[in-house]
Amino acid sequence: MTEAKDFSQYAHPEALVSTDWVAQHKDDPNVVLLESNEDVLLYETGHIPGAQKIDWHTDLNDSVTRDFLGPEQFADFAASKGITRETTIVFYGDKSNWWAAYALWVFTLFGHADLRLMDGGRQKWVAEERELTTEPTPAAPAEYPAPAVRDDSTFRAFREDVLEHFGKPLVDVRSPLEYSGERTHMEGYEQEGAMRGGHIPSAASVPWAKAANEDGTFRSRAELEEIYTEQAGLGAADEVIAYCRIGERSSHTWFVLQHLLGYQNVRNYDGSWTEWGNAVRLPITTGDQPGEAPAR
Amino acid sequence: MSTTDPERSAARTDPESSALPEQLAEVIEEFAELEERQKLEMLLEFSRELPDLPERYSGSYDQMEEVVECQSPLFLTVEYDDDAGTAELFFAAPPEAPTTRGFAAILHEGLNGLSYEQILGVPDDLSERLGLARAITPLRLRGMTAMLGRIKRNIRAHLAETAPGRAG
């Protein structure tokens, strides 16, 4: 086991908990653990005792329109998981918390106050040989009043917002080949392709996994500052938009920028390349350079 | 689910289903009878039953073909018995990819040891016939379609090499 990491280095240390913390607090009555994986069956092979399963695909999205749940549906869903407005929700999952960060970001849109990620995710918990169980977690429905709105303006960007944003920093978190336009999809995700390859003009390329260590934990604040603030040129910007292909990888980067580095206004453009690369007349840059932002 | 489940009756009345190899039809039938929730449990059961690789492949995936369309790493290889005209299928996927393992196990159970012609004749929409789209999402099912496609491509290439007249 490695030495405990000091979360106080991050801008919002309360948004991150360690595997130790989860081991100690998982049975607290105000704590709900939600496991969010890419693999829809991974939770069933063994999960942290008491954790509930959340599937990014089937639980968080509207089943018809390309959009998230509405406030009423969200409240029903949260209540079904035993969550109240006061609950501390801890997300964790596979692939360096990729999908856990996505679920956390969606919950953020509904204004839930206390949302945290378990640093290192499922991988670290398993590597530390901590307890897993295949016992289903009994459902204990709670009361969750429907939020008045889903706030789509503070942390979420639509394509019109991206057009308005030109001149300020954009981060493209896809792989280098998707960024340059040589590939119109991510390897293994051919069905999520786009008509055109490339990136949004002026976007800096920072593949999302750069923010994670080998063991799935987040890099230190100093390392993250080097990657985003310096190399990607975000500097002291007060508004940043991140995007990827459908908005899930960029949720991970959103978490890093918003909570670990403390950028003030970070939005995730969940339409991402599957919208931008298919839309008529939107500007695109190809190749490995960011290119110029179009005049507004 | 009631007997009016559209997926179920579609599988029964589809004219092509009579042409399915028996061992594959049985797998489809097993899934068709279940409710959504149980379908996932069944897929998990399959994932646990994916046979281990024989000694000759263990430890080295480089003799196998990687199915990049799967969301998690999957390797497959086909061995041919030209006298009998049948194919043996081998799959490998890590335990942290149970969905991918489940898909591989379904194909193994449904297709292993069949004749080249029988495997080539399996409908490409096999993954849809399992009725898993709602529970698994079509996006994830894509990996299984890709596996089947690669198995068929391997067999066609083998036929083209060994018996050009039969490759069709």
Side-chain angles (χ1 to χ4, degrees):
Chain A
M1 233 159 51
T2 51
E3 207 176 310
K5 183 157 97 180
D6 178 10
F7 291 154
S8 72
Q9 63 185 297
Y10 298 118
H12 301 149
E14 70 281 3
L16 211 52
V17 294
S18 64
T19 47
D20 268 338
W21 188 95
V22 170
Q24 285 162 23
H25 294 275
K26 62 185 170 53
D27 300 321
D28 291 4
N30 64 324
V31 171
V32 169
L33 302 181
L34 292 181
E35 177 166 335
S36 174
N37 297 319
E38 172 166 78
D39 192 302
V40 70
L41 285 178
L42 191 51
Y43 170 91
E44 279 82 359
T45 67
H47 54 83
I48 299 179
Q52 311 248 13
K53 173 182 179 175
I54 178 170
D55 186 61
W56 66 280
H57 222 304
T58 53
D59 289 331
L60 299 177
N61 286 283
D62 186 271
S63 57
V64 180
T65 306
R66 181 176 171 188
D67 201 354
F68 302 115
L69 302 178
E72 297 280 342
Q73 295 166 298
F74 172 78
D76 289 346
F77 173 71
S80 75
K81 298 291 177 190
I83 295 167
T84 71
R85 293 291 286 178
E86 288 72 41
T87 300
T88 296
I89 307 177
V90 178
F91 296 89
Y92 73 96
D94 62 355
K95 309 214 165 175
S96 305
N97 276 330
W98 170 354
W99 306 92
Y102 182 75
L104 182 146
W105 174 73
V106 174
F107 272 63
T108 303
L109 302 181
F110 294 100
H112 190 94
D114 194 352
L115 303 170
R116 313 181 188 195
L117 272 188
M118 182 175 84
D119 197 27
R122 186 184 162 92
Q123 176 190 346
K124 187 157 190 281
W125 184 274
V126 171
E128 291 169 352
E129 298 181 351
R130 293 180 187 268
E131 188 184 0
L132 292 173
T133 180
T134 52
E135 282 295 309
T137 301
E143 294 281 320
Y144 198 100
V149 290
R150 184 185 65 213
D151 179 359
D152 285 340
S153 60
T154 312
F155 300 114
R156 187 182 188 191
F158 298 110
R159 70 185 214 193
E160 297 78 11
D161 301 321
V162 176
L163 290 165
E164 283 292 311
H165 182 82
F166 275 133
K168 298 170 203 158
L170 279 159
V171 183
D172 183 317
V173 316
R174 297 172 301 155
S175 60
L177 288 178
E178 293 171 275
Y179 179 84
S180 66
E182 286 162 68
R183 271 227 175 100
T184 50
H185 58 80
M186 177 176 163
E187 195 166 323
Y189 297 75
E190 285 73 6
Q191 72 293 343
E192 291 179 29
M195 299 287 288
R196 298 299 169 109
H199 54 269
I200 301 178
S202 78
S205 170
V206 188
W208 73 280
K210 276 196 176 181
N213 292 309
E214 280 287 302
D215 67 355
T217 57
F218 288 107
R219 290 188 186 279
S220 69
R221 180 159 189 176
E223 290 169 319
L224 295 173
E225 279 174 353
E226 174 63 24
I227 293 166
Y228 294 95
T229 313
E230 303 301 325
Q231 291 171 14
L234 300 189
D238 52 9
E239 287 179 60
V240 184
I241 291 178
Y243 73 94
C244 57
R245 173 179 49 104
I246 56 171
E248 13 67 277
R249 282 175 286 180
S250 45
S251 298
H252 190 271
T253 299
W254 173 86
F255 184 87
V256 169
L257 299 178
Q258 182 74 33
H259 289 306
L260 303 186
L261 291 178
Y263 279 91
Q264 288 302 307
N265 299 294
V266 187
R267 285 181 289 172
N268 180 21
Y269 168 41
D270 60 279
S272 278
W273 199 252
T274 49
E275 175 175 70
W276 197 275
N278 282 318
V280 176
R281 300 213 313 175
L282 291 186
I284 289 173
T285 299
T286 55
D288 59 7
Q289 295 302 308
E292 295 293 319
R296 290 199 283 128
Chain B
M1 204 64 72
S2 72
T3 49
T4 54
D5 181 347
E7 277 168 353
R8 186 174 172 180
S9 47
R12 290 239 168 106
T13 55
D14 189 310
E16 280 183 60
S17 56
S18 56
L20 286 176
E22 197 181 330
Q23 67 193 67
L24 179 61
E26 278 172 17
V27 175
I28 292 176
E29 187 86 352
E30 272 184 85
F31 275 95
E33 284 169 0
L34 300 173
E35 292 175 30
E36 299 292 334
R37 182 73 226 159
Q38 295 172 317
K39 284 181 207 260
L40 282 183
E41 281 164 21
M42 176 74 88
L43 189 61
L44 190 61
E45 282 302 307
F46 269 90
S47 81
R48 293 190 177 119
E49 286 161 15
L50 180 66
D52 289 335
L53 282 179
E55 198 87 352
R56 59 189 179 280
Y57 292 112
S58 64
S60 74
Y61 289 164
D62 50 9
Q63 309 169 59
M64 304 176 78
E65 175 176 350
E66 181 170 7
V67 181
V68 297
E69 293 89 347
C70 288
Q71 296 198 345
S72 298
L74 177 99
F75 296 85
L76 78 85
T77 197
V78 185
E79 288 184 6
Y80 308 94
D81 181 341
D82 285 326
D83 294 333
T86 58
E88 295 277 331
L89 309 177
F90 300 91
F91 301 89
E96 64 268 21
T99 303
T100 298
R101 288 179 64 86
F103 293 163
I106 287 172
L107 292 175
H108 188 267
E109 173 104 8
L111 304 180
N112 190 51
L114 293 181
S115 73
Y116 304 156
E117 287 77 11
Q118 280 177 305
I119 294 176
L120 292 175
V122 169
D124 291 329
D125 65 355
L126 170 64
S127 66
E128 288 163 40
R129 293 172 187 236
L130 296 164
L132 282 165
R134 190 180 306 164
I136 299 287
T137 76
L139 182 150
R140 287 166 171 140
L141 281 173
R142 157 103 202 176
M144 179 188 264
T145 306
M147 283 183 219
L148 177 61
R150 281 171 184 259
I151 291 165
K152 288 187 184 180
R153 198 174 71 202
N154 273 295
I155 292 174
R156 282 198 194 95
H158 175 75
L159 286 175
E161 266 171 36
T162 55
R166 290 172 62 186

